Amino acid sequence: MKNKILKWFSVIVAVLICSSCDDFLDTESKSTYTPDVVFSSKVYTNDAVIGIYSAFIATEVWNNFYYPFNTDIEIQEFSTGSYDDNERRSIANYVAESGNIGLASSYNAYYKAVERANLVIQGIRESALYTNENHEDHEVMAQYLGEALTLRAYLYIELVRNWGDVPFKQEPTSSDGSNFYTGKTDRDVIYDALIVDLQEAIELLPWYGANSNASHIERVTKGFAKGLLAQICLNRGGYSFRKSLKIERGSDWEKYYEIARSECQDIIANGIH
């Protein structure tokens, strides 16, 4: 009798599981932070922007390149008499090869940070909190967009400084893989795009101390964006070792030098910094 009861109980459970299987698989996690959820809240959007900042503290980003440390007053060694660890010390000692672990990990870390910035920029641009200029949170969302644009520009100027012509993506990675492999983009094209981004960011960002969201020196503000724009313009108009294996100056260098001069004058005249 006991075995019959257990058998019928198993059948009932199996029927219930099969009949409710579709409903079970269609449920959504209430703890999932999808883009429409994140960018419908200024609090969550701020968290997403902080996620870009957090990428900068990774060892592979700001602490992985030892270019300045082999000079007439400093030297970097791995162990006694060894100057090649196939990582960042090799970079400092000019013995890095294509298989260097430090080069690969740093390259990947920079693009991970770029991806975060791309997600934030797209998310804010599509958010009703930003597109509706009458929304009470429009101003703070605009500031977050300015921060994300500036941080992405900073990441790309570092990539170009370290690798020259690099892949240039201004949108998140597509799930269909259509933009997985984009090839290299000429650095002048990258600089020109970053200049446009920073000019937009400057209009969106407040000066340091202008409001409660700009009261922390650790956050990007208008002065920082202007300074970064000046630096990029100097790079754009300056000399660079190019794929032609020649050191050549960028085109229209006077125009870019004038932008740099103007931005620096604004920072000085404002007096905040």
Side-chain angles (χ1 to χ4, degrees), residues 116-127:
R116 291 186 183 183
N118 285 338
L119 287 166
V120 171
I121 292 166
Q122 177 175 287
I124 295 176
R125 290 198 189 282
E126 295 177 353
S127 169

Side-chain angles (χ1 to χ4, degrees), residues 233 237-238 249-261:
C233 285
R249 171 166 247 163
S251 60
D252 301 324
W253 63 271
E254 297 99 332
K255 177 180 76 173
Y256 297 104
Y257 277 25
E258 182 55 39
I259 295 173
R261 180 174 181 269

Side-chain angles (χ1 to χ4, degrees), residues 55 58-61 64-65 100-116 155 159 163 167:
T59 298
E60 296 84 1
V61 176
N64 208 45
F65 282 97
N100 184 280
I101 298 171
L103 287 172
S105 62
S106 185
Y107 186 86
N108 292 335
Y110 271 105
Y111 275 105
K112 180 180 179 180
V114 166
E115 180 70 8
R116 291 186 183 183
L155 291 163
L159 281 163
W163 282 280

Side-chain angles (χ1 to χ4, degrees), residues 33-93:
Y33 290 91
T34 55
D36 59 316
V37 172
V38 172
F39 299 106
S40 65
S41 162
K42 67 178 182 180
V43 175
Y44 290 159
T45 301
N46 179 62
D47 292 343
V49 174
I50 294 298
I52 309 172
Y53 282 99
S54 69
F56 281 81
I57 66 173
T59 298
E60 296 84 1
V61 176
W62 267 355
N63 194 35
N64 208 45
F65 282 97
Y66 277 27
Y67 291 142
F69 300 132
N70 194 332
T71 67
D72 57 344
I73 60 171
E74 296 171 304
I75 192 167
Q76 187 66 231
E77 68 176 347
F78 175 46
S79 60
T80 304
S82 175
Y83 304 96
D84 186 2
D85 66 345
N86 194 38
E87 206 175 58
R88 47 190 175 170
R89 292 173 182 83
S90 300
I91 299 169
N93 294 312

